[in-house]
Amino acid sequence: MPDRVPPETCAAPRDAVESRLRRGMAARRAERAGEALRHMKAAAALAREHDDPVALARALHGRANVERDLGRLDVALRLYREAVPLCRRGDDPLALAHTVRHLGDVLRETGDPPEAERCYAEALALYRAHPAPRARDFANAVRPMAILRETLGERDEARALWREARDLYREAGVEAGVAESSAHLGRLG
């Protein structure tokens, strides 16, 4: 099926992009990757057509998430790298933090710990500087840095990060995150 953008009923281009993004995210949650990918590609095409860098960043990030789900890390990496500078042009530091963190995850997964660490450090700095980050998102940024530190054998740093992640997951009510953090802390002693 060609990746053509069907006509939208929304009046504003940003609304049309957001509509596609919502449909793409819903399809992703329902594990319909092909449908999710079509919506994310359409959202990106609309954002490009209307020269909307913020909407384009969101669409690229959404598509990268789906590509990552499908195991296509090279495509996801390219898309996150395109989205990050677009996020920098916007005025939402948490959107930037979220995208940079995902870029870091793919870099870590593809074997580039130094570059992943730079991404995680930037994401964490953005979360720490924000007056009211969502606890779950903040925890999701602390967690991969803890994993990286633990993998690199930096036990004290990993321990401190796992404690922080556990506390944030507890605040967010994410029991799986609390359990994972506690398990890592138990292994680290």
Side-chain angles (χ1 to χ4, degrees):
M1 172 183 282
D3 290 318
R4 292 183 22 224
V5 180
E8 290 287 339
T9 58
C10 300
R14 174 77 56 98
D15 291 342
V17 173
E18 290 301 319
S19 172
R20 282 306 194 137
L21 286 170
R22 281 191 301 277
R23 288 188 274 173
M25 288 185 279
R28 181 177 180 231
R29 281 190 299 276
E31 298 183 9
R32 295 189 311 266
E35 180 184 339
L37 213 46
R38 282 191 300 280
H39 286 302
M40 295 304 182
K41 286 179 178 181
L46 281 166
R48 284 187 203 282
E49 178 183 334
H50 295 286
D51 195 27
D52 187 337
V54 173
L56 180 56
R58 286 178 37 78
L60 293 170
H61 185 143
R63 180 177 168 202
N65 289 345
V66 177
E67 296 288 1
R68 187 173 170 208
D69 294 345
L70 294 170
R72 297 193 290 238
L73 297 181
D74 56 332
V75 176
L77 185 61
R78 179 180 52 78
L79 293 165
Y80 288 131
R81 285 190 180 190
E82 184 179 355
V84 166
L86 295 170
C87 287
R88 291 188 197 291
R89 293 171 56 187
D91 61 357
D92 186 348
L94 294 182
L96 173 59
H98 191 68
T99 304
V100 168
R101 192 263 296 173
H102 278 191
L103 173 59
D105 289 343
V106 174
L107 287 164
R108 180 175 47 86
E109 291 165 11
T110 58
D112 191 347
E115 195 61 33
E117 181 177 11
R118 283 188 278 282
C119 289
Y120 294 152
E122 180 179 1
L124 287 173
L126 289 164
Y127 278 110
R128 292 185 200 295
H130 196 275
R134 286 185 42 203
R136 181 187 192 121
D137 292 339
F138 194 175
N140 286 342
V142 173
R143 178 184 174 273
M145 182 67 103
I147 291 169
L148 183 63
R149 294 284 186 231
E150 189 173 343
T151 300
L152 296 174
E154 299 170 5
R155 297 173 62 84
D156 292 338
E157 295 87 348
R159 203 175 294 111
L161 289 162
W162 280 117
R163 277 191 212 103
E164 184 178 13
R166 180 194 58 202
D167 294 346
L168 288 164
Y169 280 127
R170 187 173 288 134
E171 180 184 332
V174 180
E175 289 307 313
V178 172
E180 179 191 26
S181 300
S182 297
H184 281 272
L185 286 166
R187 284 193 297 275
L188 288 166

